[in-house]
Amino acid sequence: MSATSAVPSSPSVCTDSTLTVAGQEVAVRVYGSKPAGQVLPLVVHFHGGAFVSGDLDNGCTVASLLEGAGARVVSVAYPLSPFPQPLETGYAVLQWAYKQRTRLAGAGAQVYLAGEEAGGNLAAGVALMARDQSHPPLAGQILLSPMLDPCVGTPSLRAATGTATACKWADGWLKFLGCTRDAEHPYAVPGAAQRLAGLPPTLVLVGSDDPMHDEALAYAARLEAAGLSVTRHVFNQAQQWPDALLQPGTRACPCADEVQEQFRRFFEDSRCRPSP
């Protein structure tokens, strides 16, 4: 990978590179470094942007917080639409990261998926893909305000949009789902997936006034009902979520310290579990 300068507004150490995976070139940004003799969690991360916008810079806040919690992070510049291209790209990068896990994060490094908003949808969808392919094994998935319901009609989303006639999340779903049948596919809409068994431990983080509040917690409840390990946390002071998660620089993100602490606890708890 070829190194570039660090993101100006982020305290993280990061390098940009282009991977060739599954016959396509994909830009990634790798955060952190591997200290000699240590093994770190390795996280494949997807930025937000409602499937209508977003890039590696928009992902730097969450990626930096993951790094600050002790992880090595590979943030992915996935194609924004339409399904299934973003999922296929994400899964290809996950496979690459798993193969490179020893070099990136140390021998025996556990691999995680993470994403905010639209990226949370991708993280959840790629986790389903990995389960169905029985590879690679995942230690956990981290979903921040995940965008999971194409109906965009939950009470929390209606409260956030008010009387506005335009909704970027509705526009994003229309762009992401190329046809009506796509909405029936569990990889495109993980929140409606019928089979959840076999997924890794999950951390779900939302704000109390978050538009994604209801759909995220509904998914957490369904995972828990399927007998899976789920940790959920609602931040009461998380104003402007999920948009604040997409702003470069962790100082723009409310509850940054609390978010990082949730990451740290999740890594520690999952580290105690036997590797698949």
Side-chain angles (χ1 to χ4, degrees):
M1 294 187 296
S2 59
T4 65
S5 60
V7 180
S9 58
S10 169
S12 301
V13 176
C14 55
T15 58
D16 287 355
S17 67
T18 300
L19 307 179
T20 300
V21 291
Q24 61 180 318
E25 291 191 343
V26 182
V28 298
R29 182 170 291 164
V30 181
Y31 290 75
S33 57
K34 182 177 74 67
Q38 293 189 31
V39 179
L40 305 178
L42 178 60
V43 183
V44 176
H45 164 255
F46 305 102
H47 64 77
F51 295 120
V52 296
S53 63
D55 56 22
L56 293 174
D57 288 341
N58 294 114
C60 75
T61 289
V62 172
S64 296
L65 292 172
L66 287 163
E67 181 202 351
R72 195 86 194 272
V73 184
V74 179
S75 193
V76 185
Y78 57 88
L80 297 180
S81 62
F83 174 81
Q85 283 93 330
L87 273 295
E88 292 174 346
T89 297
Y91 182 62
V93 175
L94 173 63
Q95 290 177 302
W96 173 87
Y98 184 77
K99 290 178 182 177
Q100 300 294 324
R101 65 192 184 282
T102 297
R103 179 177 64 83
L104 290 170
Q110 293 183 303
V111 180
Y112 298 77
L113 290 166
E116 61 272 16
E117 201 225 28
N121 175 288
L122 295 184
V126 172
L128 289 166
M129 294 178 71
R131 178 204 63 187
D132 293 345
Q133 296 297 321
S134 299
H135 186 80
L138 295 173
Q141 60 177 343
I142 299 171
L143 311 178
L144 298 94
S145 304
M147 187 175 156
L148 298 169
D149 186 354
C151 295
V152 291
T154 62
S156 63
L157 195 143
R158 292 200 305 269
T161 54
T163 59
T165 56
C167 175
K168 65 180 179 181
W169 296 291
D171 293 342
W173 279 114
L174 288 172
K175 186 177 179 183
F176 179 60
L177 301 174
C179 65
T180 304
R181 292 292 300 274
D182 287 344
E184 301 173 5
H185 202 297
Y187 297 169
V189 186
Q194 295 301 304
R195 188 169 69 89
L196 298 174
L199 288 173
T202 302
L203 173 64
V204 176
L205 302 178
V206 294
S208 56
D209 297 323
D210 190 336
M212 308 299 128
H213 174 281
D214 292 354
E215 59 201 80
L217 294 186
Y219 189 55
R222 292 192 62 230
L223 291 170
E224 202 165 54
L228 302 172
S229 174
V230 180
T231 302
R232 60 173 69 79
H233 187 82
V234 179
F235 298 98
N236 292 322
Q237 302 300 319
Q239 297 89 355
Q240 304 302 315
W241 274 40
D243 290 345
L245 297 171
L246 312 181
Q247 302 302 314
T250 56
R251 285 178 296 180
C253 177
C255 306
D257 291 342
E258 294 179 68
V259 172
Q260 192 169 86
E261 180 59 25
Q262 290 292 323
F263 291 163
R264 189 176 291 110
R265 290 180 186 176
F266 186 66
F267 291 142
E268 185 61 35
D269 290 345
S270 58
R271 189 176 297 123
C272 298
R273 300 173 185 272
S275 298

